[in-house]
Amino acid sequence: MDASSGGGSARRRSGGGGGGSFGGDDDPFDIPAKGAPVERLKKWRQAALVLNASRRFRYTLDLKKKAQKEEIRRKIRAQAHVIRAAFRFKEAGRVHHSKETTVPPADGALGFGIKEDQLTALTRDHNYSALQQYGGIPGVANMLKTDKEKGISGDDADLTARRNAFGSNTYPRKKGRSFLAFVWDACKDLTLIILMVAAAVSLALGITTEGIKEGWYDGASIAFAVLLVVFVTAISDYKQSLQFQNLNEEKQNIRLEVVRGGRRIMVSIYDLVVGDVIPLKIGDQVPADGILISGHSLSIDESSMTGESKIVHKDQKSPFLMSGCKVADGYGTMLVTAVGINTEWGLLMASISEDSGEETPLQVRLNGIATFIGMVGLSVALAVLIVLLARYFTGHTYDPDGSVQYVKGKMGVGQTIRGVVKIFTVAVTIVVVAVPEGLPLAVTLTLAFSMRKMMKDKALVRRLSACETMGSATTICSDKTGTLTLNQMTVVEAYFGGKKMESPDNTQMLSADVTSLIVEGIAQNTSGSIFEPGQGGQEPEVTGSPTEKAILSWGLKLGMKFNETRSKASILHVFPFNSEKKRGGVAVHLGGTEVHIHWKGAAEIILDSCTNWIDTDGSKHSMTPEKVTEFKKFIEDMAAASLRCVAFAYRTYEMGDVPNEDQRAEWKLPEDNLIVLGIVGIKDPCRPGVRDSVRLCQAAGIKVRMVTGDNLQTARAIALECGILDDPNVSEPVIIEGKTFRALSDLEREEAAEKISVMGRSSPNDKLLLVKALRKRGHVVAVTGDGTNDAPALHEADIGLSMGIQGTEVAKESSDIIILDDNFASVVRVVRWGRSVYANIQKFIQFQLTVNVAALIINVVAAVSSGNVPLNAVQLLWVNLIMDTLGALALATEPPTNHLMERPPVGRREPLVTNIMWRNLIIMALFQVSVLLTLNFKGISLLQLKNDDKAHADKVKNTFIFNTFVLCQVFNEFNSRKPDELNIFKGISGNHLFIAIITITIILQALIVEFLGKFASTVKLSWQLWLVSIGLAFFSWPLALVGKLIPVPKRPFGEFFACCCKRSKEASDDATSDDKQSKSEHRDVV
């Protein structure tokens, strides 16, 4: 199944042709899912037939606003540059002319030692001399009543006082559009405007000719129908807008760690206050303006603020941090000095309105279909207008009583105009029904619905197009840790002193010196933290990454006193853990000339750098080949048991050889001649149900590939446990190491990528290479990632899925969807929703096209043959409402079913109207047209109305046609729910919205027929006629059931037509060529 879906996708990728597919290879309605160029976006807008631009393009990217946003961003960046340049120039002048620099003295504010504007100016201007005058970082911390280690107290009174003094970390947002704005947008529809004008003319003429008592009905009924359409449309659009607004707010609500009362806690970015102490690590976003308290190898990417992709190193000489920037490397802690609108980022965000506009490929393709149908509809409406006018003025249009409507010379101007207005109104109403404005908006509706529901399924959609692209995914490249596993790590095995320990936390067999070295390595070489409660017998709180937490928790069991151990030595330099090198190190000064350099990382990589090992008594031994084999055997045994192997090593160093403080940032920590202390095995159990999720993907034609940094043995064991591998004895390239894959040529890499199921010891760059190779093979690739270095792969993939818990802000910003619970099962649910979006749109298309075709044919045939149309303007507007807004609500909000996961992935270039849909559509349209045209021409005799008054009989017949037509659509709505399934009622009890809309439609239809006759030009029907009407409509169900048994060819109908057109064009070209040749020969003969 995989191969076929991949190949199919490859063909589709090269084949072009998206939209309807009406345009061939250079179809303007075919745009890429990611990074569509502006020219392509402009091209489809120009090609679309649109009656209401403000509504149709509301949820597409506003190209003008986008340009304005970039201009504002550029101006604010330029302003920041100018302020800093001017300040530096001023500073330089002061240094030249005066040795003393003064800043305004710190002035207390609401109980604090410094005012809001002074703090803001300090960070905005990067004023280092002012910082020194305030007493440096300790001085500013004291003024803000902040402990640099323990942070603020964090109680409600303290937080309120800080918000009152320095503001909150929010910025003023532009209000969302009001309901009246949506009403105004709905009124801008060109056809509705024309109908309102026609209604006004009809009203004026009616009152003039028939008096106010009878003459106002025609005009008022059209006006009322138009207003109903406007308000129902506005309500639907307004609700969608609120959903998108809520999702946008959710996207911006970052949760981060702060230190309050000595413990690390998670808070919303909006809850930060001035004085907060925030730990920063690689991949984090700087959440507010501040100054660096302490840091190691801390580098900041300031491109989001300055526009320059330059990494800036931060230390005590350059301590100022700007909100909105990203941590590119290292870690540290910062003191918040400005929040919200007082930061440049807050100023920028307040100036730029959050624009949720973004067109999706499906939305654009539907604009193509809407344009095609609209062109046909306009042509038909024009033809009807011409035919009706011709018949009217030639005296071939008759009143219900049989009299001629227009007699030349005998009709008044008012009556003539009134007759023409009626004809014109019918033609315009045909355009309303024929041009499916609601079709592209149905995508927005189903996407808004899906996004809201996906939030409950633990997936936050950042990019709309990802929803639908996920339905086309042919492969998922998943991380292991936290996605396929629970991310609940514990140390379960340990190998120290050259021997396996009976219990990993039993140190009795180790000497005090060895235990001391292990504890020193754990406490000093970590980015995690432990909060030790002072009293009350509470358990210590461990924070950090899952691996760090597992190791720190194990350290506590060994008897480690975290804060005490860290205070015994000072950190000289840190090499933060790196997913490329798979290790991290630290140099600590123990006093005097003694320096220890500790390393921790992937066991076999650390082992390669070791030349000695330590015995249980602390004695040092050379690393012999036999001992290396013994260590490696232990690593393999642990890996085979699905354990992550982490090794600890150290070496001694002389303080005299350590570079001085100015040069230390460039110091490369020595990683040779290490002494191995030991190895631990960390267990991370598989998530329950992950095996079922993997099976579900495989049944749906999606290949799951595991990409992990763990060694091959661990990767193999986990893959077997998860069901990604079935055979434990598979070899390359099914299971491959990152460095082996990296070494292949481009062509070999593509061929290997197709077969890979597991990649071990992979770096983020290997993941990127895999994604590129798979995409070249035509796969639609979804990839999961959590680290900063995963950002390129997340960006390159068709769908980037970042992790909500372990994912860094950099990874999240590069992704399309955030998996909030880091669970693979949630990824599978996203696939279901992606397929559901596509399936729901197809259901709506089938329903809408059936109504379009039937309404057009009935009105055209009736107009041409009799000069009258059975469905008048008000009735057609009601049909349009059922078809557009209510139909979209009913069908575009169907929840996903397991049936969707029993079919192969949706081809992104496959026609939207499939052969199955064509079959269903043709059968239903033919049935409706046959029944209604028969009723139109033979209705009076069939309904036994011959004895009635001719005018009344005609009204009963037309009312019956209208009633049957609407009921046919109600019954067909059930058929459209399941285009390829026999049981159309499956799962209907769970779709309350569908049942509600069907009920409302039937009630309103009954009211229109029975009580609003004057408005809708209907008469009351007897219960017998109601039963006949329901019986005829009911026949839609058995007919659809029989129709679904008719087989359809696999080749899309569109391709048949394309081939036929191509052949006829070639034949025409050949004929022209032959003709030219014969003429040429004839001239030669002459």
Side-chain angles (χ1 to χ4, degrees), residues 30-41 61 63 66 358-361 463-466 469 775 794-799 814 816 908:
D30 181 22
I31 65 164
K34 270 185 172 182
V38 173
E39 286 309 311
R40 289 279 287 277
L41 300 180
L61 184 66
L63 299 175
K66 188 185 177 190
E358 173 217 347
E359 51 251 59
T360 72
R463 198 167 283 117
L464 270 180
S465 56
T469 310
R775 290 191 76 206
L794 290 167
H795 185 74
E796 175 68 25
D798 295 284
I799 314 105
S814 297
D816 306 301
R908 286 193 298 185

Side-chain angles (χ1 to χ4, degrees), residues 1071-1086:
T1072 310
S1073 167
D1074 291 344
D1075 189 42
K1076 282 182 181 174
Q1077 196 174 345
S1078 65
K1079 280 182 182 176
S1080 170
E1081 286 169 2
H1082 178 68
R1083 277 198 304 273
D1084 289 345
V1085 170
V1086 172

Side-chain angles (χ1 to χ4, degrees), residues 275-533:
D276 260 327
V277 172
I278 301 171
L280 296 173
K281 61 183 183 303
I282 185 168
D284 282 353
Q285 177 175 312
V286 179
D289 282 4
I291 43 182
L292 182 68
I293 296 172
S294 64
H296 300 288
S297 310
L298 188 69
S299 300
I300 304 289
D301 177 3
E302 294 185 348
S303 59
S304 59
M305 277 312 302
T306 62
E308 298 168 6
S309 54
K310 186 180 172 188
I311 306 298
V312 181
H313 183 71
K314 295 291 174 182
D315 52 25
Q316 296 303 314
K317 289 182 180 174
S318 174
F320 296 103
L321 299 164
M322 284 192 291
S323 174
C325 300
K326 306 290 186 301
V327 180
D329 200 6
Y331 58 87
T333 52
M334 70 173 276
L335 174 68
V336 175
T337 55
V339 291
I341 201 70
N342 293 327
T343 68
E344 278 170 29
W345 181 254
L347 193 66
L348 185 68
M349 296 310 286
S351 309
I352 296 170
S353 61
E354 265 306 311
D355 186 15
S356 60
E358 173 217 347
E359 51 251 59
T360 72
L362 191 54
Q363 207 174 357
V364 176
R365 287 177 73 185
L366 283 171
N367 269 290
I369 289 182
T371 298
F372 177 76
I373 299 167
M375 295 289 191
V376 174
L378 276 173
S379 309
V380 168
L382 190 62
V384 168
L385 180 65
I386 292 165
V387 168
L388 289 180
L389 286 173
R391 289 186 69 105
Y392 180 73
F393 285 113
T394 56
H396 288 86
T397 305
Y398 304 96
D399 282 324
D401 60 3
S403 60
V404 176
Q405 278 189 7
Y406 177 80
V407 181
K408 195 174 179 183
K410 291 185 181 179
M411 301 286 287
V413 175
Q415 276 183 301
T416 306
I417 292 172
R418 199 173 176 199
V420 170
V421 166
K422 272 189 177 179
I423 290 167
F424 188 70
T425 304
V426 168
V428 172
T429 314
I430 288 173
V431 175
V432 174
V433 176
V435 180
E437 282 287 286
L439 198 53
L441 294 169
V443 181
T444 320
L445 180 68
T446 191
L447 285 172
F449 171 77
S450 302
M451 286 165 74
R452 187 163 48 89
K453 293 289 185 182
M454 282 163 80
M455 275 292 288
K456 291 180 183 174
D457 278 349
K458 303 296 181 189
L460 172 63
V461 178
R462 294 190 73 254
R463 198 167 283 117
L464 270 180
S465 56
C467 268
E468 60 194 49
T469 310
M470 203 64 187
S472 303
T474 58
T475 186
I476 299 171
C477 299
S478 175
D479 284 340
K480 174 188 77 72
T481 307
T483 309
L484 296 168
T485 60
L486 280 169
N487 224 357
Q488 293 170 0
M489 298 193 184
T490 44
V491 174
V492 292
E493 281 192 28
Y495 189 86
F496 280 86
K499 296 171 188 169
K500 182 178 177 179
M501 292 165 68
E502 288 176 16
S503 168
D505 48 3
N506 181 4
T507 57
Q508 289 177 354
M509 60 182 277
L510 301 175
S511 69
D513 288 346
V514 175
T515 305
S516 174
L517 276 171
I518 295 167
V519 164
E520 183 182 281
I522 294 169
Q524 300 289 3
N525 190 15
T526 183
S527 58
S529 172
I530 297 176
F531 171 69
E532 297 169 341

Side-chain angles (χ1 to χ4, degrees), residues 112 137-154 158 162 258-263 273-279 291 293-294 333-336 531 563:
F112 295 95
I137 295 162
V140 173
N142 285 337
M143 288 177 188
L144 294 174
K145 299 181 179 177
T146 298
D147 185 301
K148 289 192 297 172
E149 299 296 324
K150 295 181 179 179
I152 61 174
S153 65
D158 183 34
R162 289 175 189 278
V258 298
V259 180
R260 287 181 182 171
R263 67 189 345 155
V273 291
V274 168
D276 260 327
V277 172
I278 301 171
I291 43 182
I293 296 172
S294 64
T333 52
M334 70 173 276
L335 174 68
V336 175
F531 171 69
N563 293 330

Side-chain angles (χ1 to χ4, degrees), residues 688-703:
V690 76
R691 196 177 182 89
D692 294 335
S693 297
V694 169
R695 276 206 194 113
L696 196 62
C697 282
Q698 289 165 347
I702 303 167
K703 186 174 175 69

Side-chain angles (χ1 to χ4, degrees), residues 593-718:
T593 60
E594 195 178 5
V595 172
H596 281 174
I597 295 172
H598 286 276
W599 284 94
K600 173 182 76 184
E604 66 270 31
I605 292 173
I606 295 288
L607 198 61
D608 284 345
S609 302
C610 294
T611 52
N612 296 282
W613 62 280
I614 275 193
D615 208 336
T616 50
D617 58 1
S619 56
K620 191 168 76 169
H621 303 277
S622 287
M623 187 71 78
T624 61
E626 293 78 20
K627 199 66 188 175
V628 170
T629 307
E630 192 182 318
F631 272 110
K632 284 187 175 175
K633 175 73 172 67
F634 184 67
I635 293 168
E636 282 169 18
D637 290 346
M638 284 200 289
S642 310
L643 302 185
R644 169 175 281 188
C645 308
V646 176
F648 296 85
Y650 90 108
R651 63 165 290 173
T652 55
Y653 208 69
E654 285 298 314
M655 189 62 194
D657 296 332
V658 175
N660 59 40
E661 210 166 325
D662 290 343
Q663 298 166 326
R664 208 171 287 163
E666 305 300 320
W667 183 34
K668 193 171 180 289
L669 278 185
E671 48 190 303
D672 56 343
N673 298 325
L674 301 183
I675 305 162
V676 69
L677 290 168
I679 302 165
V680 293
I682 301 173
K683 180 73 177 169
D684 184 13
C686 266
R687 284 185 180 273
V690 76
R691 196 177 182 89
D692 294 335
S693 297
V694 169
R695 276 206 194 113
L696 196 62
C697 282
Q698 289 165 347
I702 303 167
K703 186 174 175 69
V704 180
R705 294 171 161 89
M706 186 172 87
V707 184
T708 177
D710 284 340
N711 69 33
L712 277 189
Q713 283 73 22
T714 307
R716 186 193 301 267
I718 292 283

Side-chain angles (χ1 to χ4, degrees), residues 869-994:
V869 287
L871 301 171
N872 65 29
V874 174
Q875 292 167 358
L876 281 172
L877 282 171
W878 169 233
V879 168
N880 181 64
L881 196 62
I882 295 171
M883 183 180 74
D884 258 15
T885 311
L886 297 178
L889 276 170
L891 293 168
T893 56
E894 280 270 329
T897 61
N898 287 332
H899 178 68
L900 293 169
M901 298 300 282
E902 291 164 10
R903 52 172 85 159
V906 179
R908 286 193 298 185
R909 306 295 173 107
E910 279 176 15
L912 273 170
V913 186
T914 63
N915 289 0
I916 288 171
M917 289 165 68
W918 278 119
R919 177 197 64 198
N920 299 344
L921 190 156
I922 290 164
I923 289 169
M924 277 301 111
L926 281 175
F927 165 68
Q928 289 180 20
V929 168
S930 308
V931 168
L932 298 172
L933 284 180
T934 304
L935 287 168
N936 189 55
F937 296 116
K938 301 286 182 183
I940 291 175
S941 60
L942 287 171
L943 300 172
Q944 298 174 356
L945 301 169
K946 281 185 176 178
N947 299 328
D948 285 21
D949 169 57
K950 196 171 188 311
H952 181 260
D954 209 53
K955 273 201 165 184
V956 171
K957 179 199 75 172
N958 282 347
T959 303
F960 184 79
I961 289 171
F962 166 58
N963 199 43
T964 306
F965 183 62
V966 169
L967 290 176
C968 277
Q969 308 324 319
V970 171
F971 279 82
N972 191 36
E973 225 159 330
F974 285 88
N975 291 331
S976 301
R977 282 188 71 241
K978 305 286 178 186
D980 56 347
E981 290 181 66
L982 296 176
N983 183 2
I984 58 173
F985 303 106
K986 191 177 176 184
I988 200 164
S989 57
N991 193 346
H992 304 300
L993 186 60
F994 182 87

Side-chain angles (χ1 to χ4, degrees), residues 147-170:
D147 185 301
K148 289 192 297 172
E149 299 296 324
K150 295 181 179 179
I152 61 174
S153 65
D155 57 57
D156 290 343
D158 183 34
L159 294 175
T160 305
R162 289 175 189 278
R163 287 195 187 102
N164 291 337
F166 305 108
S168 60
N169 200 28
T170 54

